[in-house]
Amino acid sequence: MNNSLFDEFNSIPSKQWKNRIQYELHGADYNETLVWESLEGIKVRPFYHGDDSRVIAVSTQTSQAQMAHPIYIQDVEKTILNAKAILQKGTESIYFTVPHANIDLEQLLRALPREVVYFFRCSFLEETYLHKLALWAEQHQYTIHILVDPIHQLLSDGNWFHNVEQDFKILESLLSKHQSVCLVIDTKRYQNAGANTIQQVAYACSHFNEYLTRLTAIKQPLFIEVAMGSNYFFEIAKLKALRILFDLIGKEYKEHQLDCKIIATPTKRNKTVYASKINQMRTATECMSAFLGGADYVGNVPFDALYRKDNFASQEMARNQLFILKNDSYTTAVNNPTEGAYYIEDLTKQIAEKALDIFKQIEKAEGFITSLHQGTIQRKIEESATKEQELFRSNQEILVGINSLASTREQLHDQLELYPFVKQNPRKTLIIPLIERRLAELEEQRRLTAETK
């Protein structure tokens, strides 16, 4: 078969395209008119060409991406019914959040099928409880991943589960005994607190490296949890850059056998309480970025998750979004579907290079945990978040339904089942914790106050 379909067309070099564009601008400056700079300091050109493309190899596992449904366990019996229902509807894996050690997870697993992948993320670190769960799952041949990340506990809460020595001792013990206990690098807090794309990748790498320097060996799969933002192409490139740098760093530690898996979910930062159905459009692009960027597991959040308790209708819509993106949009039909997209490849390289520079600076400053204690990481993220917030206030960053096309008739005060804003709980902590803040919070609080007057 002749594959030379386009041989009759002459290739037009990059310089010729640029000259033509300059001619069409009628004297306007090319760089000032068409080149824009992102919050990360990346200059985005109007077109990308193979002549100046900087292709870099990046492994993806897009064709293996599974839909992961999140469940917060409050009551075991109700959780069993919920889990069975969503598995019957085609969900491929379930991500359980376990709030305390009084929950009988063996009872939960006995009622569920063995062939499904189950994730367990606990809000505590109790060695006996986790050892018992892992041992039971291994004896009964369940595929579970107990995800543990003490550093995330420190940066999100301000304190360790116990203390630094005990937390790492428990983690080391569990990793040495059980294949089902896995290290997770939870990076969602960086995005939700306002870190830009490059900062997210850089801090994820430092977060990862801190474990590699402190743990004897990692033989289990390594999981990276990522919050996906709305900058579509940047988010695709972010996942690719993470894989490149984790692979680069991991090779420096030959005693670790690293198999990185990415779990991606939409960010909270751009979600809104007012005009909440628009959140479905935001999650659609964010989940699609996850599929195209090579995530191994993709989860979604209901459009009303900020202010309503779990309900069937909104959960069904969130799940159906993933079905459409995965099965009807063919995003997982091939490996690395964005290969050859010069723009994404250029973004990936720039993000990786700039993030690596920040990573090196953190390591020169004695590592990630030291930087958290010094407040350096928190200060840098706060600067980025403040910059983005100012763009939102000046309407340079738009959230439809909030600072653009807002409906003055929408009333929400009587519909709030959950408190959707940052909760202040002053207490003594080892470090300043990273606080998740949504862009729309202050405006939403103003509107809610006006409703009650």
Side-chain angles (χ1 to χ4, degrees), residues 7 12 14 109 124 141 169 178 210 213 275 335 352 425 449:
D7 283 356
I12 301 174
S14 174
L109 286 172
F124 53 89
Q141 299 180 331
K169 183 180 178 181
H178 302 289
E210 196 73 40
T213 59
N335 282 326
N425 181 25
T449 301

Side-chain angles (χ1 to χ4, degrees), residues 31-125:
N31 290 318
E32 290 184 5
T33 306
L34 298 180
V35 177
W36 59 274
E37 187 171 306
S38 72
L39 284 171
E40 296 82 2
I42 293 176
K43 291 187 177 180
V44 180
R45 307 194 301 272
F47 78 99
Y48 290 78
H49 195 282
D51 289 354
D52 46 23
S53 174
R54 301 183 290 175
V55 180
I56 44 179
V58 51
S59 63
T60 65
Q61 300 178 27
T62 311
S63 63
Q64 304 300 317
Q66 292 189 9
M67 296 176 289
H69 188 96
I71 296 180
Y72 184 92
I73 303 175
Q74 291 179 317
D75 178 271
V76 173
E77 294 294 339
K78 290 180 179 178
T79 299
I80 290 171
L81 293 175
N82 188 13
K84 284 183 174 179
I86 63 175
L87 288 174
Q88 287 176 353
K89 292 180 180 294
T91 294
E92 297 158 307
S93 59
I94 301 179
Y95 186 112
F96 293 107
T97 299
V98 187
H100 53 79
N102 295 325
I103 294 174
D104 189 347
L105 295 180
E106 292 177 20
Q107 178 190 352
L108 171 66
L109 286 172
R110 282 192 200 99
L112 299 178
R114 284 189 178 90
E115 60 272 14
V116 178
V117 176
Y118 302 105
F119 294 94
F120 290 94
R121 184 71 182 276
C122 300
S123 303
F124 53 89
L125 185 60

Side-chain angles (χ1 to χ4, degrees), residues 323-366:
F323 279 124
I324 292 169
L325 289 172
K326 180 177 179 179
N327 301 323
D328 297 346
S329 302
Y330 299 99
T331 54
T332 59
V334 296
N335 282 326
N336 203 3
T338 61
E339 184 177 8
Y342 303 134
Y343 177 36
I344 294 173
E345 289 175 348
D346 187 86
L347 283 178
T348 301
K349 185 170 179 61
Q350 288 198 65
I351 291 170
E353 288 175 344
K354 291 177 182 292
L356 188 59
D357 288 340
I358 296 175
F359 166 75
K360 290 176 180 178
Q361 292 170 17
I362 294 171
E363 294 311 304
K364 286 180 181 177
E366 299 184 13

Side-chain angles (χ1 to χ4, degrees), residues 128-245:
T128 303
Y129 180 88
L130 297 179
H131 168 71
K132 184 180 176 184
L133 171 62
L135 191 62
W136 187 93
E138 289 160 8
Q139 289 173 346
H140 293 80
Q141 299 180 331
Y142 276 77
T143 303
I144 72 168
H145 300 296
I146 303 169
L147 306 179
V148 184
D149 185 357
I151 293 177
H152 177 266
Q153 170 68 15
L154 173 67
L155 64 88
S156 60
D157 183 74
N159 293 310
W160 298 97
F161 288 110
H162 306 284
N163 56 64
V164 61
E165 292 82 11
Q166 189 174 352
D167 281 10
F168 274 93
K169 183 180 178 181
I170 292 172
L171 176 59
E172 183 86 65
S173 174
L174 289 169
L175 290 174
S176 66
K177 295 174 183 175
H178 302 289
Q179 188 68 18
S180 56
V181 177
C182 300
L183 182 64
V184 61
I185 309 300
D186 189 343
T187 72
K188 299 193 302 296
R189 177 75 52 157
Y190 308 132
Q191 212 283 344
N192 288 323
N196 64 44
T197 305
I198 292 169
Q199 288 174 332
Q200 291 169 51
V201 175
Y203 300 150
C205 290
S206 290
H207 190 152
F208 172 48
N209 190 64
E210 196 73 40
Y211 283 119
L212 295 183
T213 59
R214 290 171 179 264
L215 297 174
T216 303
I218 302 172
K219 298 178 182 179
Q220 299 89 332
L222 172 78
F223 290 90
I224 314 167
E225 288 201 50
V226 182
M228 304 299 292
S230 58
N231 197 339
Y232 184 70
F233 294 108
F234 274 63
E235 294 300 305
I236 296 172
K238 178 174 79 176
L239 295 192
K240 291 175 175 287
L242 275 171
R243 284 199 186 275
I244 292 166
L245 294 182

